[in-house]
């Protein structure tokens, strides 16, 4: 019997992220505490640019955006927000949506599967994803449960289960 396998990936649905940003933008335009403070959130290429006149307000805009991401089912592990920095009369935060599993985290996951996973489960790094294979589908499901409970800095999805 052939090996069963699945891929561990970290992807963000661009449309959902865009919808969350648009919802946050609408809320910022309507909320009383953001009137006249130059608060805004927009795409700037692949980055998300958050602007306001004070550090507290720019952090409040980031909180609004994070709440919209959660409502849209996007993990906050996928959002990489920098520290607020002054730029002229306003403060800014640059944020990005993380895609793919970097080499360091892939190695951590690989080691975790080898050390704590069921015997007979093999994993290999393929670019920015991880392929996990085994003869037993039950072992693969146990491995999925192990990875869900692991403490890594990326949001994991499991695809191509065959």
């Amino acid at each position: 019997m052939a090996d069963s396998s699945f891929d561990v990936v970290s992807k963000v649905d661009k449309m959902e992220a865009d919808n969350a940003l648009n919802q946050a933008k609408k809320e910022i335009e309507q909320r009383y505490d953001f009137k006249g403070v130059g608060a805004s959130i927009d795409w700037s290429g692949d980055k998300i640019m958050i602007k306001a006149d004070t550090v507290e307000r720019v952090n409040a805009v980031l909180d609004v955006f994070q709440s919209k991401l959660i409502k849209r089912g996007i993990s906050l592990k996928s959002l990489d927000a920098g520290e607020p920095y002054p730029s002229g009369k306003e403060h800014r935060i640059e944020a990005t949506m993380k895609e793919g599993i970097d080499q360091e985290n892939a190695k951590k996951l690989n080691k975790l599967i080898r050390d704590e996973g069921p015997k007979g489960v093999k994993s290999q790094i393929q670019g920015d994803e991880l392929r996990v294979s085994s003869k037993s589908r039950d072992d693969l499901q146990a491995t999925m449960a192990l990875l869900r409970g692991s403490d890594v800095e990326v949001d994991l999805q499991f695809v191509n289960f065959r």
Side-chain angles (χ1 to χ4, degrees):
M1 189 173 137
D3 280 2
S4 297
S5 68
F6 67 89
D7 294 334
V8 182
V9 297
S10 179
K11 296 200 183 315
V12 175
D13 186 353
K14 295 279 191 217
M15 289 308 295
E16 289 296 330
D18 193 43
N19 288 340
L21 187 123
N22 288 330
Q23 286 179 340
K25 189 187 300 188
K26 256 187 201 165
E27 183 172 326
I28 290 161
E29 289 170 359
Q30 292 174 353
R31 270 182 42 178
Y32 177 74
D33 56 335
F34 289 127
K35 294 278 188 226
V37 296
S40 68
I41 181 168
D42 271 310
W43 288 104
S44 172
D46 283 343
K47 295 185 178 188
I48 298 163
M49 184 64 68
I50 303 171
K51 303 175 190 174
D53 64 349
T54 65
V55 175
E56 294 79 20
R57 293 247 168 74
V58 81
N59 283 327
V61 173
L62 179 62
D63 285 344
V64 168
F65 181 54
Q66 288 174 337
S67 72
K68 298 302 178 192
L69 285 174
I70 291 170
K71 283 183 182 171
R72 289 261 178 221
I74 298 174
S75 172
L76 292 183
K77 289 181 180 179
S78 300
L79 180 69
D80 185 19
E83 292 297 315
Y85 64 91
S87 174
K89 292 183 177 179
E90 63 187 12
H91 288 75
R92 296 180 175 187
I93 294 178
E94 283 185 8
T96 55
M97 300 304 285
K98 289 191 277 192
E99 291 263 331
I101 302 172
D102 60 327
Q103 285 295 318
E104 183 181 319
N105 283 317
K107 286 178 183 174
K108 278 184 195 174
L109 292 172
N110 217 348
K111 183 171 176 9
L112 180 74
I113 291 169
R114 226 181 359 204
D115 294 347
E116 298 178 26
K119 300 290 179 228
V121 174
K122 298 183 288 288
S123 64
Q124 62 192 46
I125 300 171
Q126 296 181 334
D128 62 349
E129 55 186 49
L130 194 69
R131 165 78 43 94
V132 181
S133 58
S134 172
K135 292 202 181 298
S136 164
R137 286 180 167 252
D138 291 340
D139 287 349
L140 288 179
Q141 290 182 341
T143 305
M144 281 185 193
L146 173 71
L147 292 177
R148 277 190 194 102
S150 68
D151 186 34
V152 288
E153 297 91 45
V154 291
D155 182 33
L156 301 176
Q157 291 94 29
F158 306 105
V159 296
N160 297 337
F161 190 83
R162 352 173 196 200

